[in-house]
Every structure is written in structure tokens, then in C-alpha cells.
Amino acid sequence: GARVALPFFALATGAPLVQRWYAERASDPSRLYAASNLGSLLALIAYPLAIEPALRLAAQSSLWSVGYGLFAVMTLACIAAVPRAVDRPPSSPETVAASPAHAPHEGLRWVALAFVPSSLMLGVNTYLATDVAAIPLLWVAPLAIYLGSFVYVFARPPRAVTARTTAPFLGLLLLLFLFTAPHVTVGYLLGALHLALCALGCVIFHGELVRLRPEGRRLTAFYLALALGGALGGVFNSLVAPWLFHRVSEYPLTMALAVWLLPRAPPPPDPRERQAAFVRAMGMNPDAVLGLATTPRAKPYARALDGLVPLGVAALTVSLFHAAETARSPSVVRYGVPLMALVLLSVGRRSRLALGLVAIVAASHLDRSVLHESRTFYGVLRVEEDSLTRRFLHGTTLHGLQARAPAWRAEPLSYYDRRGPIGHFFEAMREPLRGGDVGVVGLGVGMLLAHAQDGQRWTYYELDAGVVRVAREYFTWSADARAPVRVVVGDARRALREDTRARYRLLVLDAFSSDAIPAHLVTREALGLYLRHLDARGVVAFHVTNRYVRLDDPLAALARDAGLVAMRGRGKVPGLEGSFMTTWVVMARRREHLDALARDDLWAPLDARPGALVWTDDHVDLLSALKNPLRR
């Protein structure tokens, strides 16, 4: 962090500084800001598509150093091109007097307008990854939209917002607010609509910032406020929200803030105003002649309703969520009824609508239909229960479950079913694994312990302490295991490096099903570490069932590179909504160590295809391993 801080500070402050110099030469610096963000957008797209697959970290570091040096040279050239202060005529009193006055709260408005799109972009990103699909590199889309909006609004003349832009944004926001209800599974179409909402919001709020930007000497303060608002949005979503909320509540709350701060479009021209002006020009009273008041009187009860309506909506939401415990009404209904009432009672009252949205979000946190819900740095953890099973979900990914009936409680399900590849593996390898210690990276709920034998010792390595609490408090796999269980909390590679005495007959890597792929666990250096912790007959197994990433080829290339024998197990296992395919890969030093699997119909040798890339700590090409996300 210390080595990155100084270059980051220099790069971050360079853009406002150069634009200030540019403005001193009586030129509009807006296009420079557009060009700066265009460069950021191109770099964002180029890195995962071209730079990371083609260059190792050492080459990337050298290239970055060259670019940083070029930045320093160009900055010095700009300094030389800027006229000296003594050559510039001092500002005349008339010029100073003609400059626009500085409004007391203008800076706060700049910060607020910059906060909303920053928080909206991060909220959309977290919501998509948590409730839609945790597709690797999906975060590029919201960030590209965010940067692209800067390019769009700063490269064109500033324009005031119109009803043509605010009305679609407000309508789409209210529709999508409905689908941020907890436990609502949304698809790719709604995911695309959330990205469209992000795009509209960024263009509207950044466009309003362009329209309000000052001239000349106050330009630096403007860009500072813009940067501060963006940074505060990042702090709120990344640091404050995970501490305050146990679900992704910051996204709907930012929607409510966007409703409150949404720039108001000018009202359409009223023909009565033109008539009143004509009558007034004739020297007559418009009220007397036209019989119409030119300024409508404010209704005295409107402000009182601004506070009463949100309270009533909150009470309705709480009652619906509590009634759902017996009625089993969908979350969309529990959100939709209060939202419909709020919209009908908030026509023309933005503040009332915004407060009502906040009230719905707050009231939904009193939902008691879920056994456990918490949020850690690594995501949202949720435990659900029905009449048959208790399930643990990490975002949208099922991380384990257990039958509720006592007769079936010890029976492994889903990925670890005895009829699936890993079940066949433990059955075929019963004798080779007898008495040997087992290590597992990735705890889940500990369902793999259903295959433990007497005389073994099991060690789990789990990164998230929240997962450990869920596994111990809501599931009994660890308590019912036939072998003693030890759990080490922390990064698996670091823990294995420190635990030099650990020797395993079987080491299982079960950390790839959550779609946030820890690529550092499937590199040449990582495999070398695993082999040092295996005994002479040891086997390393990888659970690679994944919706969006295919790790078979990288693992086959690793096995060939290390001189190991690899086999892949693929088979359908029964699930709650039909059978699904699960995939495992195992490696051993010698072929005879896997002879027991040779006769199993779910297992077959895994050979690396020609030219398959070996992943290393300084070169991982995750893009090449992505599946088509539209195919399941």
C-alpha cells in the first residue's frame, strides 16, 4: 500500500492540475476531463481482454513504469507550456465583480450529485454479483458505464435535464426497486435493466454536474468536490454498508437518495401564464378577468403527509412481512403492495416518495422468515429452511444443505452425494485413505465429513469466519463426524506455508463453486505447496463444479507440468429441482495411486490439450476459462 500511495496521489491530482492550467489560458477544460475518462475506460476494457492474458506480472510492472515515466515527462512539458504568473495580467475589479457568486451550499450539492452515481454504480455491481449471477469480470460493466457517462457528458455542451430523461429514469427505478426485495431471484433481462438504470442515473447526475460547474478559479474546488463525492460513495458502499446492513440494502437506499436529489425538469409552458401576461399588459387584473389565480395556494396538510405517509408504508410493510410467515406470500408482493400505495400517495412529492422508499427498506429488515442472514467482507450469508432441508447460500450459490429428518440428517446431498463422483471416489478409495489425515480448503457446511472414516483427522481451511459460525450453529456435520475436526481460519496458502508439519493422504480444494474464483489456488506454485503437504501416497482433489468457469484445462495443464496423473469425475446428482452435473478432478504422483478409480464409470483420465496454458502466480488467464453464461 505504501508503494502504491505516492504514484496514485500523483496520478489522481494530475488531471485537475492540468485542467486548471488549461483553464488559465482561457480554454474550456471539459474535453480534457472527457479524454481522461476515455483513457480510463479503454484501460479498463483492455486489461482483462488483452494485457492480462498476454503479459506476466513482471512485464506489466515494467510497462507501468514506462507509462509512469512518460506521464512525468508530459507533466513537465505542460509546466513549461504554462505562462508564468508574472506574464498574466491581474484580474480587474470588473472581472471579479462579473464572476458568479459562490452559493453557500454549492459545494455540498456538487458532492451529493457526485455521490449518487458512484454509490449507484457500486450498488448495481454488488447487487448483480449477489442476487443475479456472480460472473467473473461482471464488475467491468457497471464501472465502464460509470466512466463512459463522464466521457459523454463532458464532451458535449452542458444541457439542463428534461422530462424525457427524468421520467424514464424514475419509472425504471421504481420498477427495479420492487425486485430488490430480499430472496427474489432475478434473471439476466432484469440484470440488463439494472445496468440501464445505472447508465441513466450516471448520465443525469453527471450531466447536472457539468451544467453547474463553475468557471476559472473555482474549477479546482469543483473537481475536488466531484472526486470527494465519488470517494464517499465508495466508502459508503464498501466500508460502511457491510457493517450496517446484513443484506445489500445500500442499493435501494441509493435509489431513494437518487429520487430525492434527481434534478427537476422545467415544467411545460402553461397557456394560462401567457394569457395572464397579456391581460396584465393591458393594465387589468388577471385574477379578475380570467377568474384564475396565477399562483396556486399550497395545501396546508401536504407537509404533514410527507412524514405520515412513510410511517404508514413502513407499518404496512412490517405487517405483510410478518403475515408471510404463515401465508407464504412472495417477497415481490410484500414489497409491491406498500410500494404501490406509496406511489399513489406521492404524486408530485419527491421528498415523500424518497422517505417512503427508505421506510420500506428499513421495515423489510424485520422479516423473520429466514433463520440467519449476515454479511461479511466476502458476501451475504443466508440460512433458509423448508419442511425437507436446511440450506446455506452464499449470495446465489448453494454452499451446502442438510436434511431435517433425523433418519436422513447424516446423508450427504447435492455435490457430495454418494451417487455422485466424489461419493464414488470415497467408496473406491476407502482402503488407500484408511488412517490417513484429510485436509480441505473451503468449509461450506462441512458436508464432506459424511465420508470421514474412523482413525482419520480432518483439517479445514476457511477464509471467512462467518462461514465457520454458520456451519457450527446451524448444521451438525462437524458435531456428527466420525473423525476429529480442526478448522483454521485464514487464507489456505498462507496457512499451509506456516503449518510445515501437516501431512495429508487427501487434500481437497473445495473453494471454486462460488463463482468468485480464487485463482491463486490453481497455480504452479500452489500445486507445489500442496504436494509438499501430501504423504507418499497422497491425492489432491479439486471440486470444479461451476456455473461460469471451466477449470478442467488449467488443471490438466498443471498436472502435466508437474508430472502428475490426473482423472476427472463427472456425473449427475439428484437435487431439489432435478438432477445437475457436478465435476471433480483428482491428481496423484503415480498411476497406481488412482487404480481404484480406473474401473469406475464416472471417472476417466484427464489429459491436457496441446498448448494449454499453465497458470502461475504472475500469469493467470481467467478469461480463457469462462463459459457462456447463457448456457447452463
Side-chain angles (χ1 to χ4, degrees):
R3 288 180 293 180
V4 174
L6 184 58
F8 176 80
F9 177 79
L11 292 171
T13 56
L17 186 63
V18 172
Q19 290 177 62
R20 172 64 187 271
W21 293 340
Y22 196 72
E24 290 291 342
R25 305 194 68 172
S27 301
D28 183 7
S30 300
R31 294 185 182 275
L32 285 184
Y33 197 76
S36 172
N37 283 277
L38 179 60
S40 300
L41 176 60
L42 294 176
L44 171 69
I45 297 173
Y47 186 80
L49 296 180
I51 297 175
E52 187 179 38
L55 299 177
R56 298 183 180 275
L57 288 180
Q60 293 178 36
S61 178
S62 300
L63 183 63
W64 189 91
S65 299
V66 171
Y68 187 65
L70 183 61
F71 165 78
V73 171
M74 295 179 70
T75 302
L76 292 174
C78 289
I79 293 175
V82 174
R84 297 181 181 274
V86 295
D87 297 331
R88 293 195 301 267
S91 299
S92 62
E94 293 79 6
T95 304
V96 175
S99 62
H102 177 64
H105 303 296
E106 188 177 37
L108 292 177
R109 180 166 175 77
W110 293 340
V111 171
L113 289 174
F115 176 94
V116 170
S118 173
S119 181
L120 190 66
M121 178 268 295
L122 292 171
V124 168
N125 180 49
T126 304
Y127 177 73
L128 293 181
T130 302
D131 294 324
V132 180
I135 302 174
L137 303 179
L138 182 62
W139 58 270
V140 172
L143 184 54
I145 289 172
Y146 180 76
L147 294 173
S149 68
F150 277 120
V151 178
Y152 176 72
V153 300
F154 275 90
R156 58 203 288 267
R159 301 178 184 177
V161 296
T162 65
R164 290 184 178 181
T165 54
T166 57
F169 173 77
L170 194 56
L172 185 59
L173 183 147
L174 292 174
L175 172 65
L176 295 180
F177 183 90
L178 177 64
F179 289 95
T180 61
H183 329 312
V184 174
T185 302
V186 300
Y188 293 107
L189 176 59
L190 279 174
L193 290 179
H194 282 282
L195 291 176
L197 178 73
C198 178
L200 279 174
C202 288
V203 168
I204 290 173
F205 283 91
H206 287 157
E208 183 69 2
L209 277 168
V210 172
R211 192 180 69 83
L212 296 177
R213 78 184 189 277
E215 300 293 337
R217 297 186 179 278
R218 290 166 51 211
L219 200 59
T220 302
F222 169 77
Y223 284 114
L224 177 62
L226 195 156
L228 178 61
L232 289 177
V235 169
F236 172 69
N237 283 64
S238 303
L239 301 179
V240 178
W243 179 69
L244 284 179
F245 312 124
H246 59 250
R247 60 176 69 131
V248 189
S249 299
E250 65 271 21
Y251 181 36
L253 287 177
T254 303
M255 288 182 174
L257 182 61
V259 170
W260 184 40
L261 293 177
L262 186 66
R264 293 186 178 275
D270 189 347
R272 294 179 303 174
E273 290 294 330
R274 292 196 298 268
Q275 295 170 1
F278 176 77
V279 172
R280 192 178 298 109
M282 298 295 294
M284 294 179 287
N285 185 353
D287 293 342
V289 175
L290 300 176
L292 296 172
T294 55
T295 55
R297 291 178 296 177
K299 298 177 181 179
Y301 55 84
R303 287 199 174 274
L305 285 177
D306 286 348
L308 293 178
V309 166
L311 290 177
V313 167
L316 179 60
T317 306
V318 171
S319 63
L320 287 172
F321 269 85
H322 285 184
E325 296 179 17
T326 55
R328 297 286 181 183
S329 61
S331 289
V332 170
V333 174
R334 287 175 260 165
Y335 250 43
V337 173
L339 180 61
M340 186 180 302
L342 174 65
V343 171
L344 292 176
L345 293 171
S346 302
V347 177
R349 305 288 296 185
R350 290 263 191 90
S351 58
R352 185 187 302 172
L353 180 59
L355 289 173
L357 295 179
V358 173
I360 292 176
V361 175
S364 69
H365 279 261
L366 300 177
D367 177 19
R368 297 181 295 185
S369 63
V370 174
L371 294 180
H372 171 83
E373 195 167 34
S374 62
R375 186 171 179 180
T376 69
F377 177 79
Y378 304 100
V380 176
L381 312 178
R382 189 165 73 247
V383 179
E384 298 177 347
E385 187 177 71
D386 57 25
S387 58
L388 297 177
T389 61
R390 179 174 291 180
R391 298 178 299 277
F392 171 43
L393 293 100
H394 192 285
T396 58
T397 302
L398 179 67
H399 265 307
L401 67 163
Q402 190 169 26
R404 295 187 62 188
W408 293 94
R409 195 173 68 174
E411 193 62 28
L413 305 172
S414 69
Y415 312 117
Y416 314 99
D417 197 290
R418 299 189 193 279
R419 294 161 289 182
I422 198 63
H424 284 217
F425 170 83
F426 276 104
E427 181 62 30
M429 300 288 290
R430 179 172 296 275
E431 286 303 319
L433 294 178
R434 188 177 301 277
D437 291 349
V438 178
V440 185
V441 176
L443 174 61
V445 298
M447 202 189 318
L448 200 62
L449 285 164
H451 300 284
Q453 303 178 27
D454 294 327
Q456 292 179 336
R457 291 178 301 177
W458 283 56
T459 300
Y460 273 94
Y461 300 92
E462 172 56 51
L463 185 62
D464 191 347
V467 173
V468 179
R469 289 193 295 270
V470 167
R472 287 175 174 170
E473 294 178 14
Y474 294 94
F475 299 88
T476 66
W477 297 107
S478 299
D480 297 342
R482 299 173 61 182
V485 181
R486 179 172 69 104
V487 179
V488 179
V489 178
D491 180 74
R493 281 188 60 173
R494 178 175 298 177
L496 286 170
R497 277 197 304 267
E498 296 173 353
D499 192 2
T500 57
R501 295 179 296 176
R503 290 293 181 271
Y504 299 114
R505 185 69 50 81
L506 172 65
L507 182 60
V508 182
L509 280 299
D510 191 9
F512 307 108
S513 60
S514 66
D515 306 317
I517 299 300
H520 71 292
L521 296 179
V522 284
T523 64
R524 175 187 290 156
E525 294 80 2
L527 182 58
L529 178 64
Y530 306 151
L531 294 176
R532 290 196 295 272
H533 284 277
L534 293 180
D535 62 22
R537 294 179 293 163
V539 177
V540 58
F542 296 85
H543 182 201
V544 294
T545 305
N546 194 282
R547 290 177 291 182
Y548 306 109
V549 178
R550 188 184 304 278
L551 292 174
D552 308 38
D553 284 342
L555 288 175
L558 277 178
R560 181 184 60 189
D561 179 69
L564 304 178
V565 178
M567 298 188 72
R568 177 177 60 189
R570 285 175 58 84
K572 288 187 176 181
V573 294
L576 297 175
E577 300 177 354
S579 60
F580 62 95
M581 188 69 67
T582 181
T583 307
W584 292 75
V585 173
V586 297
M587 301 179 190
R589 293 186 179 91
R590 311 180 110 187
R591 189 171 299 278
E592 52 264 31
H593 295 163
L594 298 177
D595 276 347
L597 291 178
R599 297 176 296 276
D600 194 290
D601 57 351
L602 295 185
W603 288 87
L606 177 63
D607 298 319
R609 60 177 176 81
L613 176 69
V614 178
W615 289 5
T616 64
D617 283 351
D618 69 342
H619 193 201
V620 171
D621 185 9
L622 184 61
L623 195 64
S624 65
L626 289 182
K627 300 177 183 178
N628 184 344
L630 299 180
R631 295 176 183 173
R632 294 294 181 94

